[in-house]
Amino acid sequence: SGVPLDARTHSAKDNLVGYYRNNHFTTAGTWEDLSTNDNHGTVVGGTTTTFFQEGLTANLDNQGFPINITHPSNGAVNFIGTTSTNASSYIDLNKDIEIEGDYMVMLWFKGNPSNLPYIWGHSGNDYFRMADKDTFTLKSNNVTKTLELETSPNKDILTEQWHHIALTRNNGTLLMYIDNEAQSSGTLSDTATLKIRALMRRDLTSDNYGSGMIDEFFVYDNFNANTVSKNYNHGKGKHKN
């Protein structure tokens, strides 16, 4: 199992390092880390660029006007990315999540792959992004890995469709899952530390952002294919296309 670096003690039962679910906020207004590790995220960009969809205010902007976004019944967060007015939206986790060895990072995503969105990042040497509708790029400790999706059957990330994305490392083997189906694999040394600080931005100082909707963002410091399947099956009923 992986080793969480500079992280508070977490549940040994499920090895959960971070868990962020739609619009759960702390009393301080941060995006609540439900893993009990208290890595609560700060939403940057304001309500004009980041929307938490839930309840009576779903699909309304900060002035009460409708915005045409389809979201799961229990909510999701929508990132506008960088607009023509240079507004941007992302989440700062307020703590560097760093893991050596085995890990799993998974989330639901809905957006446009042609925007080449950054899903998470820490620096120019550590990030995860879409490079095309059928290709992802992982950069870890300045080592770049290209992860391609299967072509038979075709598993392209479809525009504005919900997909469950899981990136895993198990004993030095990288493996991606799209909608609970194993995809591209590769090798990455266990000493190449997974680093995450921002969601939908390459790092806190870059102008490289992501756009789209995310939900149910999990980080684990172990690998268990059953957990990937469990999280997918739990969420697929809420993330219908």
Side-chain angles (χ1 to χ4, degrees):
S1 122
V3 180
L5 306 179
D6 190 30
R8 296 179 63 176
T9 301
H10 61 278
S11 170
K13 180 180 179 181
D14 56 16
N15 298 88
L16 191 58
V17 177
Y19 171 29
Y20 304 88
R21 179 177 178 270
N22 50 68
N23 72 340
H24 278 265
F25 283 95
T26 66
T27 54
T30 54
W31 199 27
E32 185 175 4
D33 175 12
L34 299 174
S35 73
T36 73
N37 291 314
D38 295 335
N39 296 322
H40 306 309
T42 298
V43 180
V44 180
T47 54
T48 58
T49 51
T50 308
F51 300 93
F52 283 90
Q53 303 298 324
E54 182 122 8
L56 296 177
T57 60
N59 285 353
L60 301 179
D61 65 16
N62 61 330
Q63 296 180 339
F65 293 101
I67 49 176
N68 295 321
I69 297 174
T70 302
H71 57 86
S73 59
N74 288 328
V77 57
N78 182 52
F79 297 85
I80 302 302
T82 302
T83 70
S84 59
T85 58
N86 202 32
S88 56
S89 59
Y90 65 97
I91 288 181
D92 177 4
L93 297 183
N94 292 312
K95 194 180 185 89
D96 296 334
I97 294 178
E98 302 186 358
I99 302 174
E100 289 184 346
D102 296 354
Y103 62 73
M104 299 182 291
V105 186
M106 61 189 78
L107 70 152
W108 286 90
F109 175 82
K110 181 178 182 179
N112 188 341
S114 65
N115 293 333
L116 310 181
Y118 285 81
I119 307 300
W120 70 74
H122 180 275
S123 70
N125 294 328
D126 297 273
Y127 59 78
F128 181 67
R129 70 176 300 187
M130 290 186 188
D132 202 345
K133 63 183 180 180
D134 58 3
T135 308
F136 287 77
T137 298
L138 171 69
K139 198 167 186 180
S140 187
N141 286 26
N142 206 27
V143 175
T144 301
K145 295 292 183 178
T146 300
L147 300 170
E148 297 181 347
L149 306 188
E150 298 293 335
T151 58
S152 182
N154 190 302
K155 289 304 299 181
D156 287 356
I157 300 297
L158 302 178
T159 300
E160 300 303 331
Q161 298 285 302
W162 281 110
H163 291 281
H164 188 254
I165 300 170
L167 178 67
T168 72
R169 179 169 62 187
N170 180 25
N171 292 323
T173 297
L174 283 174
L175 182 61
M176 273 193 65
Y177 294 80
I178 300 296
D179 298 331
N180 202 32
E181 295 184 14
Q183 303 294 308
S184 177
S185 64
T187 59
L188 182 64
S189 170
D190 283 343
T191 60
T193 305
L194 171 72
K195 298 179 180 180
I196 303 174
R197 174 59 187 258
L199 302 184
M200 304 301 268
R201 189 177 184 183
R202 192 190 73 180
D203 59 76
L204 297 182
T205 61
S206 79
D207 291 326
N208 299 299
Y209 295 89
S211 60
M213 301 179 72
I214 65 172
D215 195 13
E216 301 283 348
F217 185 84
F218 289 86
V219 183
Y220 296 85
D221 67 357
N222 71 334
F223 170 77
N224 186 329
N226 289 333
T227 300
V228 176
S229 179
K230 176 181 177 181
N231 285 359
Y232 168 74
N233 288 324
H234 174 76
K236 66 180 181 180
K238 296 185 296 181
H239 301 86
K240 296 179 179 179
N241 295 309

